Amino acid sequence: LHRVHQPINMVANAFFSRVRNDGITGSYAILTYLRDMPKAESSITLDFASALGPSFYTWVNQILLPISVSLLVYEKENNLRTMMKMQGLGDLSYWTVNYTYYFLLNFTFLMLVMLFGEIINLQVIVLTSKQVIVVFFFLVAHVQTALSFLIASFFSVARTATVSSVVYVLANGLLCEYLFKPFLESETFPKDVLF
């Protein structure tokens, strides 16, 4: 920790000038050449995952959900699927290509999250086996892709779908932080209910 004494000296001089109220400029407090008491060396360790909590983790994992919902509803709103049908593309091909595209997009993003977590040494990533994380992110990408198709089926306007899915993602993160986390950390909550 390094303290800059020049700004502190300037603040002290401004305070003394204001208190005296005589308009005389000059150095009233000489705080330069002062040092802290010697202390042992310390380092700052930041664990972002525990500092930000489950809500941030949930928001990062679901950040692509509003985008995929918006694009799916946009295709429905502008009748792009109907135009593709008129050009000879079947339903199976259309849904397979869309599902594969959004799944690969989500899975690639989650793998980048894992890589970034390794680079900045996030404890939740570093302490967990990589195979477990890959399988978990594989399942999360499938669930999120299926959820985006389900949510998109309820809307016909892309803007409404985007706003609703953003609200869903934000509410989901807040529910994880303020509703589910106290239950999971409680000693009295029965663990049999969860598993």
Side-chain angles (χ1 to χ4, degrees):
L1 185 64
H2 178 61
R3 295 196 180 179
V4 182
H5 295 289
Q6 186 63 33
I8 296 172
N9 196 18
M10 292 170 63
V11 169
N13 288 338
F15 174 74
F16 288 135
S17 175
R18 176 80 176 203
V19 168
R20 283 187 62 177
N21 204 13
D22 58 5
I24 300 173
T25 58
S27 181
Y28 297 105
I30 301 173
L31 298 177
T32 53
Y33 307 112
L34 294 178
R35 303 240 350 159
D36 293 331
M37 287 294 293
K39 63 177 186 170
E41 180 181 358
S42 63
S43 63
I44 298 175
T45 57
L46 296 175
D47 184 14
F48 290 111
S50 62
L52 298 173
S55 60
F56 181 74
Y57 184 71
T58 305
W59 289 332
V60 166
N61 284 346
Q62 292 185 347
I63 199 165
L64 293 179
L65 183 73
I67 296 169
S68 58
V69 169
S70 174
L71 290 174
L72 286 169
V73 175
Y74 178 80
E75 287 180 3
K76 184 177 15 173
E77 183 180 13
N78 292 322
N79 297 323
L80 295 179
R81 191 169 133 225
T82 307
M83 289 190 290
M84 289 181 203
K85 271 186 165 180
M86 290 191 316
Q87 294 175 3
L89 183 68
D91 283 338
L92 182 64
S93 301
Y94 173 79
W95 291 115
T96 304
V97 166
N98 270 335
Y99 188 88
T100 305
Y101 172 73
Y102 291 122
F103 167 74
L104 289 176
L105 187 69
N106 284 323
F107 188 67
T108 305
F109 176 74
L110 292 173
M111 289 298 103
L112 289 174
V113 167
M114 185 179 80
L115 179 69
F116 184 70
E118 280 288 328
I119 290 171
I120 66 170
N121 203 17
L122 280 177
Q123 294 301 314
V124 72
I125 301 291
V126 172
L127 296 177
T128 308
S129 171
K130 300 303 170 264
Q131 292 85 7
V132 171
I133 292 176
V134 169
V135 168
F136 177 71
F137 281 165
F138 181 80
L139 294 174
V140 166
H142 271 298
V143 168
Q144 187 166 325
T145 305
L147 184 64
S148 66
F149 277 81
L150 177 68
I151 293 172
S153 68
F154 294 117
F155 295 100
S156 59
V157 178
R159 284 188 179 184
T160 308
T162 304
V163 169
S164 299
S165 56
V166 166
V167 168
Y168 167 77
V169 168
L170 292 175
N172 196 2
L174 292 174
L175 282 174
C176 284
E177 179 70 30
Y178 297 110
L179 182 66
F180 301 134
K181 184 180 174 186
F183 284 133
L184 292 174
E185 293 176 351
S186 171
E187 296 294 327
T188 60
F189 188 74
K191 302 301 181 201
D192 299 341
V193 174
L194 298 176
F195 303 106

